[in-house]
Amino acid sequence: PLVNTFEKKFAKMIGTKYSVAVNSGTAALHLSLLCNDFLKGKKVLVPSITFSATAASVLYCDLKPKFVDVREEDLTIDFQDLKKKYSKDCVAVICVHMGGHPAQMEKIRPWAKKKNLLLIEDSAESCGASYKGKKIGRWSDISCFSFEEKKIITTGDGGMICLNDKKKYEKIKSLSFHGWNIDPWKRHKKSFGRKNKFTKHWAYEIKNLGYKYNMNDYMAAMGLAQLKKINIFNKKRQNILRRYLYGIKKLKNIKPTFPYYLPRSSYWLFSVKTKYRDDLIDYLKSKNISTAVHFVPLPLNSIYKKYSNKGLKNTFKIWKQIISLPFYPDLENKKIDYIVKCLKNFDQKLNFNK
Ligand SMILES: *Cc1c(COP(=O)(O)O)cnc(C)c1O
């Protein structure tokens, strides 16, 4: 029952007719492609800098990823390159709101429609944000969220698929639970009440080769509690970003990776770029500050090498400069100020050495 409630509340928050709760964001991406019955070997346009599951979901469905360059100014899919990489055998495009920064949906959506491409939002790094007056998750045919432990809200692990198409919703619901044709909870509810005494609540039919991807009530209980806090989480993230950005404003060699447009935002990363990336990582390590690189371009990984990695100029330049810094709602001002102080020291030493 809680899964059903969580699905309804989440769909209402995003503003789609339907949503299906699953046990990971990866499962959400897999099913959002699988429900379309695309022919084997067709191509899906995917940004070259993203979490690996974005492209893995394409391979799970016997489709081929086609990597598209990202924009230097915000790491989201580059619309000019998207148009260039498009060919007749493309069936879908997956846009990623990288680090919580919205992709240019206002350009991509009308174009994808004209080309008859399925448009998927990988919203795993964003939750509760609006872009140009419309909720993230409503800009596409199917939108996928992640509730993995580090994401904006969490259910331990978990994910959600949001959409308006009833047929695809029913297919996804079935595929998420062993391919059965009726939701078990709804089926069993039918056995209660005098009127329904003789319904065969136990009967189901296996229509599809489905998966064990459903969310359970433990996760949904946590999701419902987290959903109430989503605005607080995003507000806290905005305040932390404001403090970080003010602190590093005057630095010469370290700049923010994203433009950080804060109103109604849901940023998941605080990322900076510098030409001295690896030196800065070492320096911060010596100061006990953890860092990460989100992400190494997918075409640089051996499994994805065989898919085209041509025309990814921005990707191969920008990825060498990006560093993610500590960023979570409970990060204290004291710690932010310490991190900023270390960034300033590094920047000043560079100026001095030059
Ligand atoms: C986290 C993430 C996923 C996968 O979500 P899981 O819940 O970990 O399976 C997919 N895409 C992006 C962009 C992500 O950041």
Side-chain angles (χ1 to χ4, degrees), residues 226-241:
Q226 288 266 297
L227 206 52
K228 287 186 190 152
K229 301 182 195 171
I230 192 165
N231 291 332
I232 297 169
F233 288 156
N234 283 328
K235 270 272 148 25
K236 282 187 172 184
R237 285 178 177 272
Q238 288 161 19
N239 288 336
I240 293 166
L241 284 172

Side-chain angles (χ1 to χ4, degrees), residues 33-44 57-65 88-92 118 171:
L33 275 173
L34 191 68
C35 71
N36 304 285
D37 297 314
F38 290 133
L39 289 176
K40 257 188 186 182
K42 294 284 181 190
K43 289 181 181 149
V44 179
S57 66
V58 176
L59 295 184
Y60 295 158
C61 298
D62 285 319
L63 302 164
K64 285 183 184 153
K88 282 259 156 64
D89 53 354
C90 291
V91 289
L118 177 82
K171 184 92 187 270

Side-chain angles (χ1 to χ4, degrees), residues 9 16 20 23 46 54 61 74 84-85 92 100 102 110 115 128 140 145 159 166 210 224 276:
K9 289 215 165 147
T16 52
V20 181
N23 56 16
V46 176
T54 316
C61 298
D74 62 19
K84 246 190 257 169
K85 296 282 165 70
K115 297 286 182 194
S140 55
F145 293 86
K166 188 165 187 240
L224 284 165
Y276 311 93

Side-chain angles (χ1 to χ4, degrees), residues 24-26 29 50-51 53-54 96 122 124-125 146-148 151 157-158 268 295:
S24 75
T26 305
L29 285 164
T50 177
F51 183 65
T54 316
V96 180
D122 181 343
E125 299 181 4
S146 165
F147 310 132
E148 187 259 2
K151 296 295 164 68
D157 261 313
W268 183 64
F295 296 95

Side-chain angles (χ1 to χ4, degrees), residues 67-127:
F67 291 110
V68 180
D69 208 4
V70 297
R71 284 151 50 82
E72 218 182 314
E73 52 268 56
D74 62 19
L75 306 184
T76 66
I77 197 162
D78 184 305
F79 183 53
Q80 296 311 319
D81 195 52
L82 181 62
K83 288 192 282 191
K84 246 190 257 169
K85 296 282 165 70
Y86 169 83
S87 55
K88 282 259 156 64
D89 53 354
C90 291
V91 289
V93 51
I94 307 181
C95 293
V96 180
H97 304 303
M98 232 337 259
H101 190 85
Q104 294 184 301
M105 303 310 292
E106 79 284 8
K107 293 183 183 168
I108 297 160
R109 195 162 119 122
W111 173 81
K113 195 164 184 187
K114 219 167 64 196
K115 297 286 182 194
N116 207 16
L117 290 169
L118 177 82
L119 179 57
I120 295 176
E121 276 172 286
D122 181 343
S123 312
E125 299 181 4
S126 177
C127 199

